[in-house]
């Protein structure tokens, strides 16, 4: 009977059926998107061919006709290195400045965030003036300001370099630091392997101590013992293998310093600007995270008889970190993307050397911009994958 | 009759816990560590602050028309330079050279300020209509005034626009043009049609994963290649297109936050009333969602306002580049610190102002349910 009544009801005309409509709409969208992308691609290829540029990846094997000044890990030889090498050097330099920036911004950001929460009025005001100043001025302006208006004009020349114990030097050309030099390769490897083994030992120790504490309630001074292992064991290995790693100090030659680890001024300014700028944002994140921990938590922990250090270490910090880490990771990604502003001070990272110089030299706009974007997309997708994984992990911790 | 016990009046709190002294004891000298921190901060401030004040105000050069005044007194800031080049830094090359035409951008700005001021009034009737009018009509009024051709005034080509005016134009056109795109993308991301959702997610994540400078490179180098030869865009137009595409992804994410905050009951109630998708979206969902996402959109506007400075890398003369160019001219070579600081100050005033307003909005819009 029931079936009859439905069949007797007036059938929905096909153009009013939501399922059919959705299908038609999506098919149209797909057509429009494919058609526009196709047109754009074919127009670009035709336009490039009209300018005498054959789009393709062949140019990657050609020799790059320009010099690259800063490349600490990948060797660049003018007249031998190809465009592919230039691309890799660009990625390498992006990673270098981002890594240095992330480390410095995190340290400075934590200091600023904690200062902002200080009960001391003056300290907290200084931190909030810092935050409001740095985050409301465009980063590009800050990079240009530090590089051109402050460092380049106010730092002394190589002869009058500012020095820190005659080992680290800062002048208007850059920052010069001692560099570790391997004297015996086998010995250096032994020290590295011993170091890794010590690290693994500490992890095992941490697990054992945690299990013992869960079972018996006895605590073990993991931190100090691990520290001792991490310092003593590799040092011992270092001396037993006969000091396989020496130190090369930068030396003042005729025009500038030679040897040692060198950081060109462009990198130094970029690093300085990126870290001070991002630190303002991380500072706010840290403050928000610590304030997100309910005051009752601190009181409950004190009521249980934990002393101040334990309250911080066992109750406040673990809960605050859960709030701090996700936005901090997005800030790290922002810093990495912002490192592309290097083009303004001519530090040779991906955008400046690849989308800038290499593009001008070859005219391969399509391939070069696409490769640049792919690198950033990979970085950003990796970051969101890490974030999702982290959020998934901390969700399990919750009730 | 029992005698009531009359307690003595309370003693005033000890002098050390009230007034200035009490405040200082509590906020500056409450523990040895705090005393140390206070003294350290005071020491650092006493080194930095007097130097800055001396340089920027006491020893500074304010008057004069050329660099001789500043060269004679190099210990102070050279505000003379800013003073002389002010029109150029605020309104760009064309208006910097044609001081008699400068009323045009100023009028456009005053009209905008008046309209925005009206919109900020808490209780105003027809606010939504006025807002729509500002969004749809004002750009044409401003263009007519600044460009000049429609009104029969001397023409100022967009290639000669610059300074703070260009920064404003780029940021406001970017945010306004990105709004409809962003709404569609946010709706698409929450759509039940898998292809629409996939397309929106790809679009949003693509632009969010790319640095703006690459987008601007793409807009300035590749946009002309995307179209058949003969189609031309000027530089400002290219930057606007790049900024709009980029910004729409961030606007979409801000609006998605608003959409997610709307309780399911609203959707179900609209369905129960028999409203179709578009009626439900336009009359029930979007008015609530947009209201919730206003602070998010305003925050992304602040980011955009700062990021417009990147157009100086592709050669547009925005506030930053104009100030820098002015300080690198032969007449004023060497006064780049003043140029950067002046530009930074203008950026700071706008960004800080907007961010305070957005915090205020967040409080007023928050109706605790």
């Amino acid at each position: 009977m029931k079936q009859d009544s439905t069949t007797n009801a007036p059938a929905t005309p096909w153009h009013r059926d939501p399922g059919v409509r959705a299908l038609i709409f999506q098919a149209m969208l797909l057509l429009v998107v494919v058609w526009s992308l196709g047109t754009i691609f074919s127009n670009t290829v035709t336009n490039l061919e009209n300018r005498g540029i054959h789009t393709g990846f062949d140019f990657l094997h050609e020799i790059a006709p320009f010099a690259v000044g800063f490349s600490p890990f990948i060797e660049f030889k003018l007249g031998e290195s190809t465009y592919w090498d230039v691309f890799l050097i660009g990625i390498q330099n992006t990673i270098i400045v981002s890594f240095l920036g992330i480390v410095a911004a995190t340290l400075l950001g934590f200091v600023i965030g904690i200062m902002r929460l200080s009960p001391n009025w003056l300290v907290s005001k200084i931190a909030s003036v810092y935050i409001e100043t740095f985050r409301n001025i465009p980063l590009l302006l800050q990079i240009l300001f530090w590089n051109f208006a402050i460092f380049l004009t106010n730092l002394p020349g190589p002869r009058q370099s500012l020095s820190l114990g005659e080992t680290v030097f800062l002048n208007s050309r850059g920052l010069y630091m001692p560099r570790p030099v391997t004297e015996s390769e086998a010995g250096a490897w032994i020290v590295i392997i011993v170091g890794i083994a010590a690290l693994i030992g500490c992890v095992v120790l941490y697990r054992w101590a945690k299990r013992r504490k869960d079972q018996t309630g006895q605590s073990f001074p993991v931190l100090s013992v691990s520290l001792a292992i991490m310092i003593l064991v590799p040092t011992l290995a270092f001396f037993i293998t006969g000091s396989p790693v020496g130190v090369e100090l930068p030396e003042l030659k005729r025009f500038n310093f030679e040897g040692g680890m060198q950081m060109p001024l462009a990198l130094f300014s970029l690093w300085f600007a990126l870290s001070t700028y991002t630190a303002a944002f991380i500072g706010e994140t840290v403050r928000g995270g610590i304030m997100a921990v309910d005051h009752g938590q601190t009181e409950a922990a004190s009521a249980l008889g934990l002393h101040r250090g334990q309250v911080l270490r066992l109750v406040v910090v673990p809960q605050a970190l859960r709030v701090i880490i996700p936005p901090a990771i997005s800030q790290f990604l922002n810093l990495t993307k912002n490192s592309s502003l290097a083009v303004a001070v001519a530090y040779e990272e991906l955008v400046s050397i690849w989308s800038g110089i290499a593009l001008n030299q070859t005219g391969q706009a399509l391939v070069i911009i696409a490769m640049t974007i792919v690198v950033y997309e990979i970085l950003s997708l990796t970051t969101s994958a890490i974030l999702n994984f982290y959020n998934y992990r901390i969700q399990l911790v919750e009730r | 009759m029992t005698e009531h016990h009359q307690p003595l009046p309370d003693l005033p709190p000890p002098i050390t816990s009230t007034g200035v002294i009490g405040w200082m004891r509590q906020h500056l000298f409450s523990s040895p560590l705090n005393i140390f921190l206070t003294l350290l901060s005071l020491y650092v401030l006493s080194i930095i602050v007097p130097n800055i004040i001396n340089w920027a105000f006491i020893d500074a050069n304010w008057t004069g028309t050329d660099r001789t005044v500043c060269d004679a007194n190099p210990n102070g800031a050279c505000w003379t330079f800013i003073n002389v080049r002010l029109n150029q830094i605020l309104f760009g090359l064309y208006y910097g050279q044609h001081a008699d035409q400068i009323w045009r951008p100023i009028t456009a700005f005053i009209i905008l300020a008046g309209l925005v001021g009206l919109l900020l009034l808490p209780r105003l009737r027809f606010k939504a209509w006025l807002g729509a009018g500002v969004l749809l009509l004002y750009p044409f009024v401003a263009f007519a005034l600044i460009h000049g051709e429609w009104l029969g005034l001397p023409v100022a080509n967009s290639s000669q626009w610059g300074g703070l005016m260009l920064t404003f134009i780029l940021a406001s056109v970017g945010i306004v043009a990105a709004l409809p795109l962003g709404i569609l993308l946010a709706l698409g991301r929450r759509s039940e049609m898998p292809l629409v959702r996939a397309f929106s997610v790809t679009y949003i994540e693509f632009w969010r994963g790319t640095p703006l400078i690459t987008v601007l490179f793409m807009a300035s180098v590749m946009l002309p290649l995307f179209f058949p030869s003969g189609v031309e865009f000027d530089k400002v137009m290219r930057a606007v297109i790049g900024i709009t595409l980029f910004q729409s992804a961030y606007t979409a994410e801000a609006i998605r936050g608003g959409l997610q905050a709307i309780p399911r009951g609203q959707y179900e109630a609209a369905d129960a009333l028999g409203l179709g998708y578009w009626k439900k979206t336009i009359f029930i969902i979007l008015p609530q969602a947009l209201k919730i996402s206003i602070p998010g959109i305003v925050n992304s506007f602040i980011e955009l306002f700062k990021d417009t400075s990147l157009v100086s890398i592709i050669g547009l003369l925005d506030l930053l580049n104009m100030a820098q160019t002015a300080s690198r001219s032969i007449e004023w070579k060497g006064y780049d610190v003043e140029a950067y600081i002046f530009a930074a100050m203008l950026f700071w005033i706008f960004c800080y102002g907007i961010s305070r307003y957005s915090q205020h909005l967040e409080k007023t819009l928050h109706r605790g349910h």
Side-chain angles (χ1 to χ4, degrees), chain A residues 54-72:
Chain A
H54 179 71
T55 304
F57 290 94
D58 298 340
F59 80 99
L60 290 175
H61 306 297
E62 286 169 24
I63 307 291
F66 50 87
V68 178
F70 180 74
S71 176

Side-chain angles (χ1 to χ4, degrees), chain A residues 26 40 43-44 47 120-121 132 135-136 138 140-141 144 277 337 340-341 343 351 366 369 376-377 380, chain B residues 27 34 38 193 195 206 208-211 213 217 222 225-228 250 306 309-310 312-313 324 348:
Chain A
Q26 294 183 69
I40 287 176
N43 274 342
T44 312
N47 282 329
N120 188 316
W121 181 86
E132 293 300 348
R135 72 171 184 180
N136 283 320
L140 179 62
L141 205 167
L144 293 170
Y277 178 79
K337 287 197 287 176
S340 58
L341 296 185
V343 70
V351 167
L366 193 63
I369 300 260
Y376 283 106
E377 294 297 340
S380 127
Chain B
H27 291 104
N34 261 340
T38 306
M193 293 183 256
L195 254 178
F206 175 80
R208 275 167 29 107
T210 325
I213 185 65
F217 268 141
M222 302 197 44
L225 298 175
F226 286 165
F227 291 90
Y250 286 86
K306 288 191 294 174
S309 58
L310 301 200
S312 53
I313 292 179
Q324 186 173 267
W348 189 87

Side-chain angles (χ1 to χ4, degrees), chain A residues 143-395:
Chain A
I143 294 175
L144 293 170
F145 176 76
W146 291 121
N147 189 61
F148 292 114
I150 300 296
F151 294 142
L152 203 59
T153 42
N154 291 346
L155 285 177
R159 301 233 153 252
Q160 292 84 35
S161 297
L162 307 174
S163 81
L164 195 73
E166 296 296 316
T167 46
V168 180
F169 299 91
L170 180 66
N171 61 43
S172 61
R173 307 245 183 115
L175 183 68
Y176 301 84
M177 288 163 295
R179 182 171 66 123
V181 200
T182 24
E183 274 152 22
S184 110
E185 206 145 290
W189 276 112
I190 293 175
V191 175
I192 291 173
I193 290 168
V194 168
I196 295 173
L199 191 69
I200 295 173
C202 290
V203 174
V204 171
L205 181 75
Y206 171 77
R207 293 230 167 135
W208 170 80
K210 190 163 189 286
R211 207 170 49 235
R212 195 178 75 141
K213 190 166 184 183
D214 287 346
Q215 283 166 0
T216 65
Q218 286 170 304
S219 47
F220 184 81
V222 186
L223 192 67
S224 41
V225 173
S226 319
L227 257 180
I229 293 177
M230 281 310 294
I231 294 170
L232 285 181
V233 175
T235 320
L236 216 64
F238 181 82
F239 285 114
I240 289 173
T241 50
S243 318
V245 181
V247 170
E248 184 191 81
L249 290 178
E251 251 181 283
L252 188 60
K253 290 284 166 62
R254 238 187 119 112
F255 297 110
N256 200 354
F257 285 94
E258 274 169 32
M261 219 178 338
Q262 311 193 347
M263 198 189 212
L265 190 73
L267 170 58
F268 181 74
S269 322
L270 183 70
W271 171 63
F272 186 87
L274 279 174
S275 354
T276 47
Y277 178 79
T278 312
F281 291 87
I282 293 183
E284 277 296 88
T285 306
V286 169
R287 178 177 80 109
I290 293 178
M291 277 174 51
V293 179
D294 197 274
H295 193 58
Q297 295 282 327
T298 326
E299 286 172 341
S302 313
L304 286 174
L306 302 183
H307 61 72
R308 239 183 96 81
Q310 282 176 320
V311 173
L312 268 182
R313 195 159 47 88
L314 301 174
V315 178
V316 176
V317 170
Q319 298 189 66
L321 276 185
R322 232 200 267 178
V323 184
I324 293 171
I325 287 179
I329 293 179
S330 333
Q331 286 304 334
F332 295 163
L333 177 64
N334 280 347
L335 188 147
T336 311
K337 287 197 287 176
N338 283 335
S339 71
S340 58
L341 296 185
V343 70
V345 287
Y347 167 63
E348 293 149 320
E349 53 71 74
L350 187 60
V351 167
S352 123
I353 204 177
W354 185 243
S355 305
I357 300 174
L359 196 155
N360 285 340
Q361 290 286 336
T362 60
Q364 292 283 359
L366 193 63
V367 176
I368 286 185
I369 300 260
M371 283 170 79
T372 314
I373 289 181
V374 165
V375 171
Y376 283 106
E377 294 297 340
I378 289 174
L379 283 175
S380 127
L381 289 179
T382 320
T383 316
S384 27
I386 295 173
L387 266 180
N388 287 341
F389 177 70
Y390 180 78
N391 285 336
Y392 172 73
R393 277 284 301 278
I394 61 173
Q395 259 177 3

